[in-house]
Amino acid sequence: MAVTKTLRSGAWRVVELITTPLVPADYLDAVAPLRNPSVLRAKVEAVRPETADSVTLTLRPGRGWREHVPGQYVRLGVDVDGVRLWRSYSVTSAPGGRGDRFTVTVNAVPGGKVSTHLVRHARAGMIVHLDVPAGEFTLPATRPGKVLFVTAGSGITPVMGMLRSHLDELADVVVVHSARTPEAAVFGPELRALVGAGRIRLVERHTATQGRIKAADLDELVPDRAERATWACGPNELLDDIEAHWAQTGGGLLHTERFRPTVVAADAAGGNVTFTRAGRTVPAGGGEPLLEAGEAAGVLMPSGCRMGICFKCVLPLREGAVRDLRDGQLTVAEPGDNIPIQTCINAAAGDCRIDL
Amino acid sequence: MTTLQRKDVNPIAHLTPEDIEQIGIELDAIRDEIIESRGENDARYIRRVISVQRRLELGSRAVLLFSLFPPAWLVGTAGLSIAKILENMEIGHNIMHGQWDWMRDPKIHSTKWEWDNASPSEQWKHSHNELHHTYTNVVGRDNDLGYGIMRVDEDQPWTPAYLGQPLYNFINACFFEYGIAAYDLELGRNLKTKKRRRAPEFRAALKKTRNKIGRQVLKDYVIHPALSGPSFLHTIAANAVANLVRNLWTHSVIMCGHFPNGVETFERTSIEGETRGEWYVRQMLGSANISGSKLMHIMTGNLSHQIEHHLFPDLPSNRYAEIAPKVRALFEKYQLNYVTGPLPKQVASAWAKVFRLALPNRGPASVRPPRKQLDPSLPKVARWQRAEAKPANS
């Protein structure tokens, strides 16, 4: 056992020497991009339109994938205009797909670079990067007796994942789904079919004619909502409203899922910069390089040319917005993004967290 | 050459400080244009070059498994030489400059890339990106002026040791990757005193370089030859020749960047309080191009556009050709000398200088203005600060 292990690691070391300074996987990537265990990727196997501006992608993940729990999301890394951008999408399929295949449904958000790109340009055969599934927006192991799902727009996607996986285990389900028009409702036909089969009660709300739904409306639409465990997913305003209403009037368990947990607002005046590992937070002006703000606060910053050409000062931006002092270009990072930035020519454009 | 500040005729005497800042503004506009239009086509370009290079390298190494047969040896060696040149120049050098960082692909990123060269990328980035590119052609600050073993400027003091510099340069050309590694380690300076030799930073860097060289040597001279079985010795020879060809080629291209006639050097004091415009002008005057075909540009890693590269070291290399005419027009507008020429001419010009300056300066020393003293009252400026564009009628 030990001998074969030693032999195998010895053989592997030889293979690594064949390809040094690269690693063998770098060559493998050219022919089998899904085989690389250190970089998780997926192949788009099918693209199916759902509505006029949404598509469902069937993805076949490569090595390193871990199956999702219904309700969870995956982060997809997609090259848009040559730049890799990461966004989260809920898994809409039930676990146990053939060869770990799973689906996500993407709704083109106005101004959304990634969603628009995927809806317009996603084709079978395309390779995307991904992370393993994450998220707490799932059903408990002991399934609740009465359930309420409140969704708006693409907020239906994690709920669809749960309905497709767990509906047999749920006795009493109400879905309140809000969309602009009946045609724009993602999964509209499938939800209506579930109603026809007597599996769920569905309340459809069409904002184009009926206006946006309010939390207070739910008391009327679902009279027994206080007895139900509720999962809500949609725009932040709706979720804020629901959380406040539930806190005020009491009600069953409430779980909410926000697609955009923080809206990063760029602020020309600068912001507070946190150096996460140094454990320091310092105020930084909008015209002051992050490098100088850090140094002034006594943080040991890597530095070089101090003019933006040598890339020695590069550090990952974990979260927040920075602005390039030379041309005003804004870089925005959401949690999980870790975008490397040059600290010598970038200034804070709002609060940021830097990995140092 | 003589540093610009000590020349009888200063080539930028006709430029006012406003002109210099205006040059900066116009160059920044060229930069913005490329940044704005950087996108999918550029990403496809670098990925294609990387893919071609890897296929060529694998293919050549596969052919060399049969290097016992002369045609296989010839084809494999030629392919491997080209693959190594591509890897060092168009791929490695440019990725380590951060030219492709904007793609946010961790596989093609300045912080992650390691190249097929004796010097570890981290040390190269320090001596090249940080020192050479910031202090380009400043005598006493930019060690690329002669790499610490040669005298390539009249203002560098002559000692008899420089009599041997044509020979040093030839040896350096043959073993260029090790020359670079030694240079990045600042061996000359760091081996001089016991204190420096024992400094933990130096020892750590030395260990890294030793490990890197160890792996590189094992790969080229043990593992791949062993894989080729009966062709063992032939593959060793093939790999040695490929490394030699790569070394000679990169050395020649790099000599053409700053040593040919017409390139200016600068006094150490001249860059005190340097503005963005002044930095740009120094890069314009301190670099030289190589003219040639598209193939020539790719094989030099677009260092044939050395002037454009020094102005914008972090713009994708495939875009230099496109901005070169605009940059050249700017030179003409401000009556500056755009140094360029075909490879043989530029190489000869650089070598001529190596020979000429092996000897002490000839002729009567011209009357030189005294060295400028540092002015402590200069305002603090940063080279990233752009000058304010002025209205056209001012």
Side-chain angles (χ1 to χ4, degrees), chain B residues 85-125:
Chain B
I85 287 170
L86 277 177
E87 200 280 342
N88 276 194
M89 310 286 270
E90 183 67 337
I91 301 173
H93 167 267
N94 293 338
I95 291 176
M96 288 189 293
H97 259 298
Q99 292 183 3
W100 303 99
D101 280 16
W102 58 273
M103 299 198 304
R104 298 187 191 165
D105 180 348
K107 286 271 171 203
I108 309 179
H109 201 274
S110 67
T111 55
K112 300 278 169 66
W113 193 265
E114 189 58 69
W115 64 341
D116 182 16
N117 195 291
S119 180
S121 63
E122 191 189 328
Q123 291 169 33
W124 161 262
K125 281 186 287 183

Side-chain angles (χ1 to χ4, degrees), chain B residues 159-345:
Chain B
T159 65
Y162 287 127
L163 285 170
Q165 75 176 22
L167 180 66
Y168 313 153
N169 198 35
F170 178 70
I171 294 170
N172 189 30
C174 295
F175 298 96
F176 196 41
E177 62 171 322
Y178 300 103
I180 290 174
Y183 172 76
D184 291 347
L185 283 168
E186 296 192 65
L187 272 192
R189 198 172 72 115
N190 282 324
L191 289 179
K192 221 170 245 169
T193 66
K194 203 172 193 180
K195 192 171 159 221
R196 281 189 185 280
R197 278 197 295 275
R198 292 196 171 164
E201 299 83 28
F202 173 65
R203 297 184 77 91
L206 193 65
K207 193 172 162 200
K208 265 191 194 146
T209 307
R210 246 184 359 230
N211 286 343
K212 175 95 194 276
I213 291 178
R215 283 194 304 276
Q216 292 283 100
V217 167
L218 264 176
K219 168 182 70 168
D220 277 342
Y221 301 118
V222 179
I223 304 282
H224 283 285
L227 286 176
S228 46
S231 301
F232 185 82
L233 289 175
H234 295 81
T235 300
I236 288 186
N239 291 354
V241 168
N243 280 328
L244 177 70
V245 168
R246 185 268 319 267
N247 288 346
L248 290 172
W249 176 258
T250 50
H251 180 269
S252 301
V253 169
I254 287 161
M255 280 232 305
C256 292
H258 302 287
F259 298 170
N261 257 337
V263 171
E264 304 291 347
T265 55
F266 305 84
E267 291 272 304
R268 206 184 166 107
T269 49
S270 72
I271 59 162
E272 286 292 321
E274 188 176 59
T275 64
R276 186 167 180 81
E278 287 167 341
W279 180 84
Y280 268 138
V281 170
R282 179 155 57 81
Q283 304 303 326
M284 293 165 90
L285 301 177
S287 315
N289 281 3
I290 304 168
S291 56
S293 64
K294 199 170 172 184
L295 182 67
M296 165 71 102
H297 294 316
I298 290 178
M299 291 308 287
T300 61
N302 276 295
L303 290 183
S304 46
H305 293 115
Q306 185 80 234
I307 298 172
E308 289 74 20
H309 172 59
H310 261 266
L311 290 170
F312 312 112
D314 59 345
L315 288 187
S317 56
N318 61 324
R319 305 296 290 274
Y320 288 146
E322 170 187 341
I323 60 173
K326 293 178 196 170
V327 170
R328 192 164 188 168
L330 198 68
F331 271 75
E332 277 158 23
K333 181 173 163 192
Y334 288 94
Q335 296 161 38
L336 298 170
N337 185 16
Y338 190 86
V339 182
T340 182
L343 185 75
K345 179 181 157 233

Side-chain angles (χ1 to χ4, degrees), chain A residues 267 269-273 282-286 348-352:
Chain A
D267 185 352
N272 288 317
V273 181
V282 299
D351 292 348
C352 5

Side-chain angles (χ1 to χ4, degrees), chain A residues 150-156 178 212-213 232-242 256-260:
Chain A
V150 183
T151 61
S154 56
I156 185 66
S178 176
R212 292 199 169 180
I213 197 162
C233 183
N236 282 341
E237 309 88 74
L238 175 67
L239 298 181
D240 290 343
D241 187 22
I242 290 178
T256 54
E257 172 88 326
R258 289 164 197 267
F259 284 150
R260 292 193 155 251

Side-chain angles (χ1 to χ4, degrees), chain A residues 181-203:
Chain A
T181 61
E183 297 74 40
V186 182
F187 306 128
E190 188 173 346
L191 289 169
R192 286 162 212 144
L194 288 176
V195 176
R199 308 289 295 276
I200 62 169
R201 194 189 138 215
L202 174 67
V203 180

